[in-house]
Amino acid sequence: MGAQWRPGKRLKAACIDPNFSQNMNTNAASATDSIIVACPQCHSVVRTPSDRVGEHPKCPKCKAQLLDGHAIALDAASFATHTSKGSLPVLVDFWAPWCGPCKMMAPVLDRIAQQRATTLQVGKVNTDEQQELAGRFNIRSIPTVILFHQGREVGRQSGAVDATTLSRWLDGVLPR
């Protein structure tokens, strides 16, 4: 038999197997009491109570901090996990290491990642290494940032911008 729940035992975060289907009797309130986040290190999908996101929850699998306020390097596999399986919006920066405007955007994206750590994930896709992803999203100029929520593109911004402009743009396109 597996581990059993005991009164007083509290679960901080739990890995979710995307291939496992549960039939649980839950109400809408309990479903909104947690968020689903992809771990920035091992890319496991983790459920954590939404009222505890400010307490720096950790991945139960690799022990990495889930919402650490840093941009995550994404490849094809981790891109799908972060943009489609998590409940937080993901701002993805399509960039290249030789691109001057991309280098100017890096500190702006780092600041956004820190300021919005509990409400938004920031990912980075190196278009030289991930040409298939760049082609799939029709990236024609870099830097280009695309905001994804629940697997869908909800906004796109091309060109280097300052932190204020990017924050205003995010406020206008983020789901409410």
Side-chain angles (χ1 to χ4, degrees):
M1 284 267 191
Q4 292 186 356
W5 177 83
R6 287 183 219 118
K9 187 175 180 181
R10 186 173 257 188
L11 182 65
K12 290 187 179 182
C15 280
I16 299 171
D17 181 354
N19 299 320
F20 180 75
S21 172
Q22 289 181 331
N23 184 8
M24 294 175 48
N25 184 13
T26 60
N27 60 27
S30 66
T32 59
D33 290 339
S34 63
I35 61 168
I36 298 172
V37 181
C39 175
Q41 294 297 316
C42 70
H43 308 293
S44 296
V45 179
V46 179
R47 181 183 308 269
T48 188
S50 58
D51 61 343
R52 301 191 71 189
V53 295
E55 297 175 17
H56 311 292
K58 295 188 188 274
C59 175
K61 186 174 180 181
C62 72
K63 307 301 182 216
Q65 188 174 330
L66 292 175
L67 304 169
D68 65 357
H70 292 94
I72 305 160
L74 301 174
D75 59 15
S78 60
F79 179 89
T81 301
H82 284 268
T83 59
S84 299
K85 297 185 179 174
S87 56
L88 291 180
V90 181
L91 180 67
V92 179
D93 174 30
F94 289 86
W95 70 286
W98 49 263
C99 169
C102 297
K103 291 178 183 178
M104 290 173 35
M105 280 289 292
V108 171
L109 291 164
D110 290 342
R111 185 177 315 151
I112 294 292
Q114 287 178 334
Q115 290 173 343
R116 299 178 185 235
T118 60
T119 59
L120 173 81
Q121 282 191 314
V122 176
K124 294 181 76 67
V125 173
N126 182 333
T127 57
D128 287 346
E129 295 174 357
Q130 303 297 322
Q131 293 178 9
E132 180 186 318
L133 275 175
R136 183 174 7 147
F137 292 101
N138 202 22
I139 303 300
R140 297 290 176 235
S141 66
I142 53 175
T144 294
V145 293
I146 301 178
L147 183 66
F148 293 91
H149 189 244
Q150 298 176 342
R152 296 183 333 167
E153 180 179 331
V154 295
R156 181 182 291 233
Q157 171 80 32
S158 292
V161 295
D162 61 27
T164 304
T165 304
L166 185 59
S167 285
R168 264 192 249 128
W169 177 77
L170 282 170
D171 291 339
V173 297
L174 276 170
R176 301 204 191 286

